[in-house]
Amino acid sequence: MKKNTLLIYSIALFAPFAFATSSVHAAPITINFDALSLSGVSSYTESGVTFTAPSFSTLDSPNGTLALLEESSPKNFLRADISGGAVSVSVDLGDFGGDSDLLFLEVFDSSDTSLGRTEFFIEASFTGMETLSLSTPGISYAIFGGIGENGSSVYADNFTITAIPEPETYAMLLAGLGLLGFTARRRKQNV
């Protein structure tokens, strides 16, 4: 009977830890721009992410939804500052054709050091969207857009981040494990 009791306590103690470590990373947050009507703005914030550029609007994109389009002349890139940081970033970028573009996504830490860059070349005849993604710890902001022959009007949609878990998540995990350990020890003393 004591072996079975010890086995049950061991499972009760380690099961929450196994569950918690598999879910310590926060759930991905996707920002699409379908419900927005922006025109000529320089900043927009949603879900802890602030998008900035000299001038951008939401317009119909190649994927049939609203997307951000940087409108200044000469063309600039969109920047997304992530409150609290992230461990991964992805964005859909695309065009209706007309010129070839080098789509890119680059992520940086809080000291402006590049943590990684990914690129995708689209031909002049390409109409559609491509997803670019990067994963690395310590992402503070991302810069994305396109480099093209004619100023590169590139649409950006479905900006997705996986945020760094809040410190409270770890504190709750440790408190729960401590409570389970205390309960198991107390029951062991009573047996």
Side-chain angles (χ1 to χ4, degrees):
M1 182 70 177
K2 282 190 173 189
K3 282 186 178 181
N4 288 341
T5 304
L6 184 59
L7 179 63
I8 290 170
Y9 287 140
S10 297
I11 291 170
L13 183 62
F14 290 109
F17 180 71
F19 172 75
T21 56
S22 68
S23 63
V24 166
H25 291 292
I29 298 167
T30 299
I31 302 169
N32 63 43
F33 308 98
D34 294 340
L36 295 178
S37 179
L38 302 176
S39 180
V41 299
S42 62
S43 180
Y44 169 73
T45 301
E46 182 179 332
S47 300
V49 179
T50 301
F51 300 92
T52 56
S55 178
F56 62 89
S57 298
T58 49
L59 296 169
D60 290 330
S61 71
N63 66 1
T65 61
L66 290 179
L68 296 182
L69 178 66
E70 207 288 315
E71 298 179 313
S72 63
S73 183
K75 296 293 182 194
N76 285 286
F77 312 120
L78 287 159
R79 176 176 167 145
D81 288 276
I82 304 160
S83 176
V87 294
S88 70
V89 172
S90 71
V91 64
D92 294 345
L93 298 173
D95 202 354
F96 283 107
D99 66 343
S100 57
D101 294 300
L102 180 64
L103 307 178
F104 77 94
L105 167 66
E106 188 168 7
V107 295
F108 297 84
D109 66 12
S110 59
S111 64
D112 299 326
T113 301
S114 176
L115 300 175
R117 180 181 174 104
T118 185
E119 300 173 341
F120 186 84
F121 182 78
I122 57 174
E123 297 289 337
S125 60
F126 177 84
T127 295
M129 303 288 277
E130 289 292 331
T131 303
L132 280 69
S133 301
L134 288 168
S135 295
T136 185
I139 299 171
S140 291
Y141 67 94
I143 294 177
F144 51 94
I147 303 167
E149 301 166 355
N150 301 321
S152 193
S153 295
V154 172
Y155 296 81
D157 198 8
N158 299 320
F159 187 84
T160 303
I161 64 167
T162 302
I164 297 171
E166 298 289 331
E168 293 84 12
T169 303
Y170 294 109
M172 287 174 53
L173 170 65
L174 290 175
L177 289 173
L179 184 60
L180 282 173
F182 174 77
T183 304
R185 184 166 186 236
R186 186 170 174 207
R187 286 185 180 174
K188 184 179 177 183
Q189 289 174 348
N190 291 339
V191 172

